[in-house]
Structures are given as structure tokens and as C-alpha cells.
Amino acid sequence: MAESATGTEFDILVLGGGSAGYAAALRAVQLGLSVGLIDKGKIGGTCLHNGCIPTKALLHTAEIADGSRESEKYGVKATFDSIDMAAVNKYKDGVIAGKYRGLLGLIKSRGITTIEGSGRLASQSTVDVDGTVYTGKHIILATGSYSRSLPGLEIGGKVMTSDQALTMDYVPKTAIILGGGVIGCEFASVWKSFGVDVTIIEALPSLVPNEDATIVKAFERAFKKRGIAFNTGTRFTSVEQNDDGVVVTLEDGKTFEADIMLVAVGRGPVTSDLGYEEAGLTMDRGYVITDERLHTGVGNIYAVGDIVPGLQLAHRGFQQGIFVAEEIGGLKPIVVQDINIPKVTYSDPEIASVGYTEKAAREKFGDDRVETQEYNLAGNGRSTIIGTGGLVKLVREKDGPIIGMHMLGSRMGEQIGEAQLIVNWEAYPEDVAPLVHAHPTQNEALGEAHLALAGKPLHS
């Protein structure tokens, strides 16, 4: 392992210790490069501390709550009393703490130098951290993202982002969620399971608008069945806070009242006042522009994760961090396009997808060059056992490979591993059809869908 000669000089300086930054650091030291990892907060970033991990812990609690309510239909006599938020938060925070200790131990054992403080790009090869200047032969920018709001919409009191929602010590009776994307739908799912009367406000015509239209329609039906209300296609105008809660007004004059409002309108890049423009980087609406190999075009500076335009996903940042470390190490890694990165909305039901939607495929290849196949989970034994509905949808280039896979149902996110392999390896339905899928599993649904598209359906 290479060693820093002076304590302030490194082969690589990584500015930001979230998923993208720490992944780059871990891979770089494996390649014999010395690394300084700079972060003003806790290593692990948004995903570990106030994003992916705590949200999924709440979703697991929500699943248990629903299971207790529905237990009698499975022959188990149980009663649901209430949600103890103190205990829920203790469980959630315990998960975070355990993962954080493990990550710190890994960082230390690999010989990565952690530098705590506010870092600012000072030149094409230096970063100033609270007055101390560190030098890197290469610099990787990985400063992450923050919870956005809307112009004029102040966060505070009963109007909050996911940051505040994750630390709530009570369960509200009613909630309005501004934004029907992934974050908004996941919180809607949690809160409905906790007994909250939830309404989602989404300016676009549908919830989760980036997903395949067939999946979206089925997802919306499932949310309606759960009693989650949503108002789509009309923009938010204003919110007023009073002693009773919030009053939200839309452009069409409709008003909604609730105890609290969650603002879930996406995340923005953390790049302001960090010296990026002064160093000559090309910026667009706060994002750092790079080439396909994540180089900024300035010196030996790379950018990864949420500050690069595209999907804002922890595993995308993780993959990009590894990619850049290997690029610097001379391994010439393969570029992974955003279209082939898997996505999961961890609500009930879950959405899992990778590749082209049917609409995007038809726009790119033409209507006559696209085939689709749907498999209803009603035909899947394991799905019947656990009590979930949903479907698997395949998108294929005609007489060619699978270019999109889209799934809906409880726990279907666990099937995205095989799906992304199929899409990324450009497998044909005829390649997948002979593969053996264990019975009874939800994984069989992927096999059945490919059998059908290959022209030999069994249960569909």
C-alpha cells in the first residue's frame, strides 16, 4: 500500500465520504494508491445516516405492523395496539450505528486517511480543509445531495423534508406529501402502515412518473386499495401553518388540510461555494458536467454520485466511485450507462426496474421494433402464499435482447439482481427460458415471463 509522504499529499483526494466517495477510497487503496477522504460530517453520507438505511428500517417496521393487523387470515391470532415511535427510532438508530461502526472499522483497516472538516477545491490539485491545504495527484469530487424545496416554500415547523421526518418522535393523524416520486411514495407507504391518513400531491399526471406506464397504473391501483389518496396533474401553490397543522392550496383552488406536510420534490447537488466554478469546472444548474468516464475536463479532477447529472441512487454513486478508482489505477473499466442501473421504490407494493420502459423503447427503436410480455403474479405460487399481487413486464427489441424489465409486488426488489444481469448482458428470452428457477419462489415469475416471450408459456 502506498503511503503519504508528508501527511498532506496523496495519490487521490476524495471530497465527500458518502456512498460514492468511500467506495472510491476503498477501491483505490486496494490498487496501492494513498487516499485522503475528506468529509465535514459522518462517513457514509446521506444513504447511511438519513436516507436509504433509516428509511428502509421504517419500511420494515411498517411491514411488521401490517403483518400483525392481517395475521388472522393466516391463522395467527394477534392484535395491533400502536406504533411506539421511541422504540421504532431506537431500532432504526441501532441499525445505523452498527453499519457506521462497521464502515469506520473498514476505512481504518484499509489505511485510508480520514480528514474531518469542510473541504473546498482550492486549485486543480489541492483542497483546503478549514485552512489546511491537502494535495492530490488526482481529485474525486463526491459531495452528494440535499433535500430540495420549492421557491418560496420554507422548511420548518410542520413543513419538513425527509431529514426531519426520519427523526419524528410521534405519529401524526394526517399527512400531506408534496411529491409522488420515490421518496414521497416510500413515506406514504410507511405512514399509512403506521395508521396515518395520507394524501400525495404530485404536479405530474401520475405517481412515480419515471417508471413504465403499465407498472404505474397497477401501482396507483394498489395505493388506492390501501387507502392512500393522491392528487395528480395540478401544481402546488402555497402552504399555511396554523395551530391545527397545515393548509395546502393547489393551482386549481383545491385545498387540503393535515397535521404535517412532507416536501419530497427531489434532491439537489451539493456544489455551491465549494470552488468548483473557480477551478474551471463546467456546471449546469449546480451539477458538475463530466465525460462518460466521469472526468471533468479539468486537470485530474473527476466527479461522481449525485453531483453528476442522472439517477440519484446510492448504488449508482457506489459503482461510479469504484469506476473512477479503477480508471485512475489504469484498469480501463467498462462504462455503465444510467439506463442499465437498477431502480427500486421500497413501498408496499415495491417497484423494481432496469432498462427501457416500453414508451422509451418505442421512441428509440420504433413501434415495430419493440415487443413486450406481461406475467401476472396471480400465477406465481410464492406470491399467492405471501399475499401479494402485481406483475412482471419485459421489454424486448424485436428478435433481439431484453432491453427492459419492470416488476411490481411485495418484495419484488429482491429480484432486481437477476433482472439487471439479463439486461446488462443483453440476454435473449431464449437464453433465459432454459434457466431453472427454484419453486416456489417469486423469482419464478421472471422465468415464466421469459418462457412466454420465448414462445413457450407454461402458466400464462
Side-chain angles (χ1 to χ4, degrees):
M1 182 184 299
E3 295 292 339
S4 171
T6 67
T8 60
E9 297 180 2
F10 299 88
D11 293 322
I12 300 177
L13 279 177
V14 182
L15 181 54
S19 300
Y22 83 70
L26 288 170
R27 184 66 181 118
V29 295
Q30 287 180 331
L31 299 175
L33 302 169
S34 61
V35 178
L37 181 59
I38 304 163
D39 201 294
K40 65 180 179 181
K42 292 182 175 181
I43 301 298
T46 295
C47 178
L48 175 55
H49 298 288
N50 56 352
C52 320
I53 298 301
T55 309
K56 278 55 186 179
L58 292 183
L59 282 156
H60 182 59
T61 296
E63 183 180 4
I64 292 173
D66 287 335
S68 67
R69 290 189 186 95
E70 300 166 0
S71 64
E72 193 166 349
K73 71 179 182 181
Y74 300 106
V76 177
K77 291 188 178 295
T79 57
F80 175 80
D81 184 11
S82 62
I83 299 293
D84 181 348
M85 282 307 300
V88 170
N89 286 328
K90 182 179 179 181
Y91 151 68
K92 167 179 63 70
D93 294 343
V95 171
I96 296 169
K99 302 303 292 182
Y100 182 49
R101 285 193 301 270
L103 178 58
L104 289 183
L106 186 60
I107 294 288
K108 183 178 180 180
S109 69
R110 295 284 178 86
I112 296 168
T113 299
T114 56
I115 303 164
E116 186 175 348
S118 297
R120 190 177 192 276
L121 192 60
S123 73
Q124 294 183 11
S125 59
T126 59
V127 175
D128 184 311
V129 184
D130 297 329
T132 301
V133 177
Y134 295 85
T135 301
K137 295 177 183 177
H138 301 82
I139 293 176
I140 302 175
L141 306 176
T143 41
S145 62
Y146 67 94
S147 296
R148 284 189 187 275
S149 185
L150 297 176
L153 177 54
E154 296 293 328
I155 303 300
K158 296 164 185 174
V159 177
M160 63 189 70
T161 69
S162 59
D163 295 338
Q164 294 80 41
L166 284 168
T167 62
M168 287 175 60
D169 59 2
Y170 68 99
V171 177
K173 291 183 179 179
T174 56
I176 292 170
I177 298 177
L178 184 61
V182 173
I183 296 172
C185 287
E186 288 185 353
F187 270 96
S189 189
V190 168
W191 283 343
K192 184 62 182 178
S193 297
F194 283 7
V196 183
D197 186 2
V198 181
T199 301
I200 303 172
I201 306 296
E202 170 57 52
L204 294 176
S206 71
L207 301 181
V208 285
N210 294 326
E211 297 293 345
D212 186 89
T214 302
I215 297 294
V216 170
K217 289 178 182 178
F219 180 77
E220 290 184 339
R221 287 195 298 269
F223 259 32
K224 286 180 180 178
K225 186 176 181 180
R226 290 191 62 194
I228 297 173
F230 48 91
N231 189 98
T232 58
T234 308
R235 292 184 179 276
F236 162 87
T237 300
S238 64
V239 59
E240 295 181 4
Q241 299 192 46
N242 55 44
D243 291 342
D244 296 324
V246 297
V247 179
V248 175
T249 303
L250 306 188
E251 274 187 343
D252 60 5
K254 287 182 182 177
T255 60
F256 298 85
E257 298 183 13
D259 294 339
I260 61 170
M261 182 172 82
L262 171 67
V263 180
V265 293
R267 299 185 64 83
V270 176
T271 57
S272 180
D273 299 322
L274 293 178
Y276 294 177
E277 294 91 343
E278 292 85 342
L281 274 58
T282 301
M283 309 293 292
D284 181 18
R285 294 168 298 143
Y287 292 95
V288 180
I289 303 304
T290 70
D291 62 18
E292 70 168 6
R293 305 197 73 80
L294 300 173
H295 189 268
T296 64
V298 176
N300 288 323
I301 302 175
Y302 295 81
V304 294
D306 287 359
I307 63 172
V308 178
L311 296 173
Q312 291 183 315
L313 299 169
H315 48 277
R316 175 195 185 235
F318 194 84
Q319 183 273 336
Q320 288 184 341
I322 294 171
F323 175 92
V324 168
E326 293 184 348
E327 180 82 351
I328 292 170
L331 300 185
K332 298 181 180 180
I334 297 172
V335 174
V336 177
Q337 303 294 338
D338 271 12
I339 192 68
N340 288 338
I341 292 175
K343 302 176 293 181
V344 182
T345 301
Y346 295 90
S347 52
D348 181 18
E350 288 184 350
I351 299 173
S353 64
V354 61
Y356 289 92
T357 63
E358 179 180 350
K359 179 182 178 182
R362 293 189 184 281
E363 289 173 351
K364 182 175 177 64
F365 301 102
D367 284 340
D368 61 341
R369 295 298 306 160
V370 174
E371 296 178 300
T372 65
Q373 180 69 48
E374 296 177 20
Y375 176 77
N376 194 309
L377 292 187
N380 177 259
R382 182 66 170 171
S383 295
T384 301
I385 289 167
I386 67 174
T388 185
L391 72 150
V392 172
K393 180 176 179 178
L394 307 182
V395 181
R396 178 191 193 181
E397 189 177 355
K398 190 173 182 179
D399 300 322
I402 299 295
I403 55 175
M405 292 185 64
H406 309 274
M407 300 173 282
L408 176 74
S410 297
R411 306 178 188 175
M412 289 305 288
E414 298 301 321
Q415 309 308 320
I416 199 63
E418 181 179 356
Q420 68 94 18
L421 288 175
I422 290 168
V423 171
N424 276 276
W425 285 347
E426 300 179 346
Y428 283 56
E430 294 79 8
D431 297 326
V432 181
L435 301 180
V436 179
H437 294 79
H439 176 77
T441 64
Q442 286 186 287
N443 189 233
E444 282 183 287
L446 276 65
E448 292 275 1
H450 283 86
L451 280 167
L453 195 52
K456 43 186 177 182
L458 286 186
H459 297 99
S460 61

